[in-house]
Amino acid sequence: MSELKQELKEKIIEQLNLEDVSVDEIANNDPLFGEGLGLDSIDALELIVMLDKDYGIKLADPKEGRKIFESIDTMAAYIAANRSN
Amino acid sequence: MKPVYINSVGSVSAQKTFDNSEFLNEITEYNASTVPVIAPNYKEYIPPAAARRMARGIKMSTVSSKNALTEAGIENIDAIIVGTGLGCIGDSERFVSDIIKNDEQFLTPTRFIQSSHNTVAGQIALGLGCKGHNFTFVHSAVSFESSLIDAKMMIENDEAGTVLVGGVDELVDHHVETHRLIGHIKKEPVASQELLQSKTEGMVMGEGAHFFVLSNQKAPSCYAELLAVKTFNTLSKERLEENVLAFLERQQLGIDDIDLAILGNNGDVNFDPYYDQLGTSLFKDTPQAYYKHLSGEFDTATGFAFWLANKIIKTQTLPEVVQLNAIVPAKLETILIYNQYRGENHSLTLIRKC
């Protein structure tokens, strides 16, 4: 699981162009949206595409993303439970 | 009709032009077939959260437009008008590449949002909270002039008091390779100062963003008055002189009234003869300047020429590096810019000290 969390942090930084953020600066339980990493609705769409492309997970209801994308912890748990690749 | 004042300038180019307190104080020379901009420290102008999604063209334009607005001493404007040959072509290329690479699946929104031509004008408006007229002109080498014409008409007809007008184009890999393949970029690197002596086909390709605040009110920062702009989609060498004369006559001017002609020579042996035609006939006794050895050639390179002309008038200085002939100007008050690209999309732009 810790490998997956590290991988997610690297992917988020790269795909969302977070040039000034390093992997070490993202705590596993930091909120990704709002006060935490400051991601927004366009980033949420990018993360939905990432789940589909890299882990074979299709979110039928984008509203599900609100809970899944709360933090690296919640993302990793959801991916571990639902991934198909 | 109301006069149109050019109250401020902003430039990001292959020279260090983003600092408005300088005027070509230091020249960067190139030995290349493409010349990228000298980028300012974007972090000084754009919050990191906003910058992370911005394509190069948007970043350049944001800095350039902010500098223009700052110099004009205003925070908002009535209209934003941008000219661009290819818009944010970098993101367009990446979006299309992703479509191919991912078999039309997994398309991400950011590249799509930014891949349209009018992204720059939209981003500037979002940054300023400007809900006024927002327009983008895409018309090859007269994109910038088309924007100038629109801005001028809006001000003259009292549809807007203050307009931010600009031109932007960016250098990106696939676009450059395509132009190389079709022979529009020089096969060999060319030293800046030897551009016009190269006598080979093609251009040295560049990029840049140039923005200006135009207004019906003359600000303390004012550079010049925009007198006239005209574009021609097609124009033969044989009809060039009569059209230049007719353009000047409409302003009740003659050749002797032009203190400086800024010509768009880009070192292409096939198309520089258009400039030579004017330089050796109508303008044979007129001081002449050129600039594409400093900026490179791109669809909105005349934004650099417009910046140059305004700086020359405001500083009353003609830098040696841009002088094309040995005729010393008696005064620097009325400047004509002539440009064309590969024999098409000609433009004439006239500004005067005020």
Side-chain angles (χ1 to χ4, degrees), chain B residues 153-221:
Chain B
M153 287 170 68
M154 287 191 79
I155 290 171
E156 286 174 343
N157 294 314
D158 225 3
E159 291 174 16
T162 306
V163 179
L164 178 69
V165 61
V168 58
D169 277 293
E170 58 182 21
L171 263 182
V172 288
D173 293 345
H174 187 265
H175 181 53
V176 168
E177 286 314 309
T178 307
H179 276 266
R180 277 193 205 287
L181 277 173
I182 57 177
H184 289 184
I185 294 180
K186 288 188 181 297
K187 289 186 175 68
E188 68 293 339
V190 178
S192 305
Q193 291 303 321
E194 291 164 17
L195 180 68
L196 301 194
Q197 288 75 49
S198 61
K199 304 296 177 199
T200 54
E201 292 184 348
M203 61 171 156
V204 170
M205 196 175 201
E207 62 177 355
H210 300 86
F211 281 80
F212 309 88
V213 171
L214 271 49
S215 176
N216 57 14
Q217 300 291 321
K218 185 179 173 184
S221 58

Side-chain angles (χ1 to χ4, degrees), chain B residues 45-47 61-71:
Chain B
Y45 297 86
I46 311 167
S61 299
T62 301
V63 172
S64 179
S65 59
K66 276 194 176 183
N67 282 343
L69 290 168
T70 302
E71 189 177 46

Side-chain angles (χ1 to χ4, degrees), chain A residues 16-17 20 40 43 46 52, chain B residues 43 52-53 106 108-110:
Chain A
L16 306 184
N17 288 327
D20 296 326
D40 59 23
D43 296 314
E46 297 275 358
D52 191 0
Chain B
K43 288 177 183 169
R52 70 190 171 93
R53 283 203 198 103
F106 314 122
T108 56
T110 304

Side-chain angles (χ1 to χ4, degrees), chain A residues 1 3 5 13 17 23 25 28 30 34-35 37-38 41 45 47 51 56 59 61 64 67 73-74 77-78 82-83 85:
Chain A
M1 185 67 96
E3 271 180 30
K5 289 177 185 175
I13 288 170
N17 288 327
V23 168
E25 289 174 285
N28 290 337
D30 274 352
E35 295 273 314
L37 209 51
S41 58
L45 288 172
L47 293 178
L51 281 192
L59 288 189
D61 179 5
E64 284 182 90
K67 282 223 165 286
D73 277 338
T74 57
Y78 186 81
N82 295 280
R83 68 188 302 171
N85 57 28

